[in-house]
Amino acid sequence: MQRYLMLAIPAALVATTAVHAATSPRDYVMTAGASDLYERQSSQLVADTTRNAKLRAFVRDMIRDHTKSTTLVKQAAMRARMRVTPPMLTPDQRTMMAQLRAAHGAERDTLYISQQRTAHDQALALHQDYARSGSVPSLRTAASQIVPVVRHHIAMLQSM
């Protein structure tokens, strides 16, 4: 168990870098897309394996809500006449996915929750920052609409 807690620390350090790097509209769209992709993929993995009913309900919400936020950001970017490319996981997100694939049962569930806490803290900082100071109005609006959803996810995670 301790090895997974230590693995969450570098991801938290990456969060600071990812948020500060996402100042341009392009960086915001790419970072938000990668975040949503990680949320959907990690949640789908856990949805297929967890026996925890509360966690299963949570992962369904993650897949639904992060699909919606991807669509929201993509539409906002298109309104701004930005070229939108398919999202890709970052190296850190690929590492976290590999860790989830290697874990099994309750150990995977615990790791997933830990990773989700870090990922949602990163997402909240990203969207709050862009909503507050982004340069493209349609993306600022999308970011401000995503913030309360991410806050709700964080509240859900706190009860797990």
Side-chain angles (χ1 to χ4, degrees):
M1 181 65 176
Q2 290 177 343
R3 64 186 159 131
Y4 293 118
L5 294 175
M6 292 181 68
L7 292 172
I9 293 171
L13 295 175
V14 170
T16 303
T17 304
V19 170
H20 292 297
T23 55
S24 77
R26 181 179 180 277
D27 286 343
Y28 169 73
V29 170
M30 289 176 50
T31 304
S35 174
D36 283 340
L37 181 61
Y38 164 75
E39 294 294 346
R40 290 190 313 270
Q41 287 184 355
S42 63
S43 295
Q44 187 61 56
L45 177 64
V46 172
D48 292 341
T49 62
T50 189
R51 293 184 179 174
N52 180 323
K54 186 175 181 180
L55 188 57
R56 193 174 306 114
F58 176 79
V59 298
R60 279 193 307 265
D61 288 351
M62 294 305 98
I63 294 167
R64 180 196 65 225
D65 293 347
H66 288 283
T67 298
K68 286 180 183 178
S69 63
T70 295
T71 300
L72 193 63
V73 171
K74 183 178 177 180
Q75 289 171 343
M78 291 171 69
R79 279 193 301 281
R81 292 186 164 76
M82 293 176 64
R83 183 172 173 262
V84 179
T85 58
M88 295 175 48
L89 295 177
T90 67
D92 290 321
Q93 290 165 334
R94 287 192 299 271
T95 298
M96 291 189 307
M97 285 298 300
Q99 292 166 354
L100 280 175
R101 283 187 200 99
H104 299 284
E107 182 181 15
R108 177 181 283 167
D109 292 354
T110 301
L111 176 60
Y112 171 79
I113 292 167
S114 174
Q115 288 182 355
Q116 290 301 305
R117 287 179 176 143
T118 300
H120 279 85
D121 287 344
Q122 292 174 11
L124 182 60
L126 171 72
H127 295 295
Q128 283 179 327
D129 182 56
Y130 202 86
R132 184 174 36 255
S133 61
S135 61
V136 175
S138 61
L139 290 174
R140 269 197 326 269
T141 299
S144 66
Q145 292 172 339
I146 294 168
V147 166
V149 176
V150 175
R151 283 186 179 139
H152 176 68
H153 294 170
I154 290 170
M156 292 169 69
L157 284 163
Q158 290 171 344
S159 71
M160 290 188 185

